[in-house]
Amino acid sequence: MKRLIAALIACLVVLTAGTALAETLRIGALFAVTGPASFLGEPEKNTLEMLVKDINSKGGINKNKVELIVYDTQGDVTKAKQLANKLIKNDKVAVIVGPSTTGETMAIIDDAEKAGIPLVSCAAGIKIIDPVKKWVFKTPANDQVAGEKILNYMAQQKQKSIALLTVSDGFGSSGREQLKALAAQKGFKIVADEVYGPKDTDMTAQLTKIKGAKPDAIICWGTNPGPAVITKNVKQLGIKIPLYQSHGVASKKFIELAGADAAEGVMLPAGKLTVYDKLKKNDPQYKILSGYDRDYRKEYGVEASTFGGYAYDAFLLIAEAVRKSGVTPDKIRSGIEQVKKLVSISGVYTMSEKDHNGLDLSSFVMVRVSKGDWEIAQK
Amino acid sequence: MNLSDQIIQFLLSGFATGAIYALIGLGFSIIYNSTGIINFAQGEFVMLGGMVTMFFLTSLHLPLPAALVGAVAITTVVGVLFERLAIRPIRKPTPLNLVIITIGGSILIRGLAMLVWGKDTHAIPGFSGEEPIQLGNASLLPQHLWIFGITTLVIIVSKVFFNYTISGKAMRACAFNPRAASLIGIDVRRMVLFSFIISSAMGSMAGFIIAPLTMTSYDVGIMLGLKGFCAAIIGGMSSGLGTVFGGIILGILESLGAGLISSGYKDAVAFVILLLILFIRPQGIFKRADSERV
């Protein structure tokens, strides 16, 4: 027994000595790989593992090997907090990617700030970076940007009055607040403001009321399956008012659920990954998007998702920072903050002291459903 | 669209949703009436009905009728296994034990469904197309007619079964007094098994007729189960028209509440009704306190 312990200690000494000698960049990642938010966490984890494997086979970033430590938070705020502390105190990582959801991210911001470890979140909530926190960044575009994209498009179509139909969860209520604020700012009139539950199965009552209010357009804000049910209900009620959906359903799954027939003509702002095959070949993002989708398919057998793209963005930001400034947490942080025009999956990042997201309207394109597929309505 | 047209649409939508709640509620009341158990796994039978149909249609490419029969068969097998493995082995079946076990069972079934079919939502095509049917200024889908038809059929069949067949009467006897029933030679345990067979089959039917409208995923059973339970409570746990009216009242109130008051309070409507009924008329709104069940 004593010998065993001695051997173990010897092993540990060798191991820790090994890591101390080589210049290794330790990236910690917190993703909701299982649990209700696994549709976010799973592709994020897959993407990050794929990228780390790839970069190590090419000799690392600036010859620094990358070591990835991924923990599964199961979408649980308490777990996220414990695991974040574990990454910081035990694993001594230089930077943390994730968590997948806004709630989890908000819970660990304090820990990252106190320890001085940069946190690159893959969650979309605007409160993560507003107000700006020194050590915290996020890769997905703000929901507000998607809303603004819709309203700009509507202004072009001379649509003036809006009916809102939003889901009563965090995504829907924050979308509702922001749309209302933006609409007031841009001079739109909201003539109906309805909500539905995430598990509701029939929204004809809300839509009948909306039909009575005669808006120029309906904006629905939610994630599947609600928007698909609404799209079907709109068809059932014979409503001819243009229907906009949020970027929350920008995947083929939405068309599949609603049916190509009912979804015909539905418009939404989508990240470019969804429609990269329809982009012009000279689009700055075309090459990286098609490459990501191809590699992801080869590695995991399914198409790449926007959510996995958030982890891709995080990795590119970190790699860029390490290349330009260095591997310590402090240098990574200032490196990310200085990123200019970095072409990635979710858009082209330009960070600054005041903007820790770095994306603008150009990260979305307006798309329309046509014959069961997307077509680009407007750049 | 003026207010009266809107109200007609609210009523129609509510009626259609209510018929679904009624069908799920019947599954609750049948098991309750023959065993005294409130089976909180009933919602999972509904989920299985939709998911198994989806699986047969998309993965095995069976024609629709075969997929539906298959869905009922598999859900029934799950119902039987559930009764055999979870309900029957209990030595002292107190109501609390049984409730906890059925809740546990429902979590298990949901978890297994998640592992088998993943967490995605799936769609099933309508049985007779998706072209809406106009009724004046209101509209329905062909699938709604299937829902009305199957619900009516299930009610008639269950009424006949419980009132005119030996097995049906035996099941009612077990509900009244299991001990007396076993004294006159009724195999009580077998009747319990029967009730699970019937209600799981019924649940799966509810699952596949609503899936084309509402879509299906591994976790649809929770909310549908709760709404069905509400319907059964409003109807005083009767396995006949009481629960059907309970479901329809619930559906219509929800739809009117969402349309005329505020869509934010739609689910609150259902649960406020449930609480009011439990406080004021725990025997349901359609019967006297001491009347016969079934």
Side-chain angles (χ1 to χ4, degrees):
Chain A
M1 190 64 199
K2 263 187 188 163
R3 217 182 272 169
L4 188 69
I5 292 171
L8 274 176
I9 290 172
C11 273
L12 276 176
V13 169
V14 171
L15 276 177
T16 41
T19 47
L21 283 176
E23 277 270 35
T24 307
L25 169 66
R26 309 185 77 151
I27 301 181
L30 299 172
F31 294 133
V33 184
T34 59
S38 63
F39 65 99
L40 301 168
E42 206 181 326
E44 286 164 358
K45 171 175 173 273
N46 287 347
T47 302
L48 207 52
E49 283 176 345
M50 180 177 89
L51 291 171
V52 168
K53 204 171 98 188
D54 183 55
I55 201 112
N56 280 337
S57 72
K58 288 175 185 157
I61 311 169
N62 274 2
K63 306 229 167 83
N64 299 309
K65 283 274 175 195
V66 180
E67 189 188 341
L68 179 66
I69 303 156
V70 184
Y71 290 129
D72 177 12
T73 65
Q74 301 172 9
D76 182 338
V77 172
T78 319
K79 281 222 176 67
K81 196 148 174 92
Q82 288 166 354
L83 292 170
N85 277 305
K86 199 172 162 199
L87 281 177
I88 294 168
K89 295 194 177 116
N90 301 4
D91 301 316
K92 306 221 181 314
V93 296
V95 54
I96 299 177
V97 178
S100 310
T101 66
T102 303
E104 293 169 277
T105 307
M106 293 312 285
I108 69 164
I109 280 179
D110 278 350
D111 303 280
E113 288 276 300
K114 227 178 273 164
I117 299 290
L119 176 72
V120 188
S121 172
C122 295
I126 189 165
K127 51 191 173 177
I128 296 171
I129 48 133
D130 183 31
V132 172
K133 289 137 198 111
K134 189 177 172 201
W135 295 90
V136 184
F137 301 86
K138 81 171 175 108
T139 55
N142 295 328
D143 292 343
Q144 202 182 356
V145 177
E148 202 174 338
K149 194 88 188 175
I150 296 181
L151 294 182
N152 286 352
Y153 184 76
M154 283 179 56
Q156 275 184 14
Q157 312 289 312
K158 309 229 165 4
Q159 293 157 348
K160 282 273 136 215
S161 59
I162 315 172
L164 294 181
L165 184 51
T166 54
V167 63
S168 61
D169 62 13
F171 179 66
S173 41
S174 103
R176 176 167 166 261
E177 291 304 315
Q178 285 162 16
L179 282 170
K180 278 166 93 170
L182 278 171
Q185 204 181 315
K186 289 177 180 281
F188 288 92
K189 205 171 132 214
I190 291 178
V191 291
D193 177 14
E194 299 294 319
V195 294
Y196 66 91
K199 289 275 153 214
D200 281 3
T201 52
D202 181 274
M203 282 65 132
T204 46
Q206 289 94 322
L207 286 166
T208 303
K209 209 171 156 186
I210 287 177
K211 194 179 175 185
K214 295 198 177 62
D216 293 337
I218 304 170
I219 302 180
C220 168
W221 209 264
T223 46
N224 284 326
V229 175
I230 287 167
T231 306
K232 282 186 168 189
N233 288 164
V234 164
K235 167 137 197 284
Q236 180 203 329
L237 295 172
I239 297 176
K240 301 280 181 250
I241 305 164
L243 175 63
Y244 294 90
Q245 296 283 355
S246 75
H247 55 306
V249 293
S251 72
K252 279 280 170 62
K253 188 83 201 167
F254 166 71
I255 305 181
E256 183 196 318
L257 288 178
D261 203 21
E264 183 75 28
V266 170
M267 283 161 290
L268 53 87
K272 286 187 180 167
L273 182 62
T274 317
V275 288
Y276 79 85
D277 49 339
K278 303 196 175 53
L279 290 176
K280 291 208 180 76
K281 298 278 182 290
N282 59 6
D283 190 282
Q285 284 175 264
Y286 181 79
K287 207 173 138 223
I288 189 169
L289 293 171
S290 58
Y292 174 40
D293 193 45
R294 189 188 57 232
D295 293 348
Y296 198 88
R297 276 175 203 270
K298 211 167 82 190
E299 192 81 16
Y300 302 105
V302 288
E303 63 176 3
S305 82
T306 315
F307 311 122
Y310 301 153
Y312 200 118
D313 301 329
F315 184 78
L316 274 197
L317 286 169
I318 294 167
E320 177 82 0
V322 168
R323 243 175 241 131
K324 291 254 166 80
S325 61
V327 288
T328 63
D330 195 41
K331 284 187 177 152
I332 293 177
R333 191 209 77 83
S334 58
I336 295 178
E337 201 168 68
Q338 283 152 23
V339 160
K340 293 274 173 298
K341 297 216 164 110
L342 175 70
V343 178
S344 184
I345 301 296
S346 304
V348 181
Y349 288 87
T350 300
M351 296 279 181
S352 72
E353 260 172 52
K354 287 188 187 127
D355 185 1
H356 276 196
N357 172 233
L359 291 177
D360 59 11
L361 280 174
S362 68
S363 55
F364 288 107
V365 280
M366 281 304 288
V367 295
R368 186 190 296 115
V369 180
S370 163
K371 299 193 186 74
D373 198 0
W374 306 109
E375 75 179 16
I376 292 177
Q378 182 215 31
K379 282 276 288 179
Chain B
M1 201 171 196
N2 58 34
L3 192 64
S4 66
D5 284 343
Q6 286 191 16
I7 287 177
I8 293 172
Q9 181 66 51
F10 293 149
L11 290 176
L12 262 183
S13 299
F15 195 70
T17 326
I20 299 168
Y21 296 161
L23 197 52
I24 301 167
L26 280 176
F28 274 98
S29 57
I30 285 174
I31 292 189
Y32 180 75
N33 281 314
S34 42
T35 62
I37 300 171
I38 291 179
N39 174 26
F40 282 102
Q42 188 64 30
E44 308 313 318
F45 294 150
V46 178
M47 176 274 292
L48 281 177
M51 291 299 272
V52 175
T53 307
M54 179 280 299
F55 172 70
F56 280 140
L57 281 178
T58 56
S59 299
L60 302 182
H61 302 290
L62 292 184
L64 186 68
L68 299 184
V69 172
V72 174
I74 287 193
T75 312
T76 311
V77 170
V78 173
V80 170
L81 287 176
F82 186 56
E83 194 275 338
R84 283 279 153 140
L85 301 178
I87 304 290
R88 190 172 288 209
I90 306 173
R91 198 158 298 156
K92 282 193 191 134
T94 63
L96 187 63
N97 278 347
L98 289 167
V99 163
I100 291 171
I101 281 176
T102 60
I103 292 178
S106 78
I107 295 172
L108 175 73
I109 296 174
R110 204 180 311 142
L112 290 177
M114 186 188 84
L115 287 177
V116 176
W117 293 297
K119 288 161 213 136
D120 273 349
T121 305
H122 302 273
I124 294 177
F127 296 177
S128 349
E130 314 259 341
E131 270 318 304
I133 302 163
Q134 289 296 327
L135 293 172
N137 279 324
S139 61
L140 277 180
L141 289 174
Q143 193 66 26
H144 288 125
L145 301 182
W146 279 99
I147 293 177
F148 298 145
I150 289 185
T151 308
T152 317
L153 191 72
V154 166
I155 294 161
I156 295 171
V157 170
S158 71
K159 200 80 195 164
V160 169
F161 176 77
F162 281 107
N163 288 345
Y164 300 102
T165 66
I166 293 287
S167 303
K169 288 178 185 168
M171 282 170 74
R172 284 164 62 201
C174 295
F176 277 121
N177 190 333
R179 192 159 190 166
S182 69
L183 281 176
I184 58 163
I186 297 172
D187 186 345
V188 178
R189 296 186 134 192
R190 193 166 172 175
M191 294 304 142
V192 173
L193 181 63
F194 271 175
S195 72
F196 270 86
I197 292 179
I198 296 173
S199 72
S200 55
M202 212 178 246
S204 70
M205 286 193 227
F208 68 60
I209 56 171
I210 63 170
L213 290 179
T214 64
M215 289 163 244
T216 184
S217 68
Y218 77 100
D219 60 351
V220 293
I222 311 168
M223 206 57 187
L224 288 173
L226 272 176
K227 295 286 174 67
F229 179 62
C230 273
I233 291 285
I234 296 174
M237 282 291 178
S238 89
S239 51
L241 285 176
T243 299
V244 175
F245 283 126
I248 289 170
I249 290 173
L250 182 63
I252 289 181
L253 283 179
E254 268 190 15
S255 155
L256 286 177
L260 299 177
I261 306 167
S262 160
S263 41
Y265 299 119
K266 188 164 152 279
D267 286 332
V269 170
F271 296 115
V272 166
I273 298 172
L274 177 69
L275 287 178
L276 282 180
I277 289 191
L278 286 174
F279 285 142
I280 302 165
R281 287 191 70 87
Q283 72 274 26
I285 51 179
F286 295 111
K287 59 173 132 182
R288 290 184 301 278
D290 55 349
S291 70
E292 154 194 20
R293 287 223 165 79
V294 174

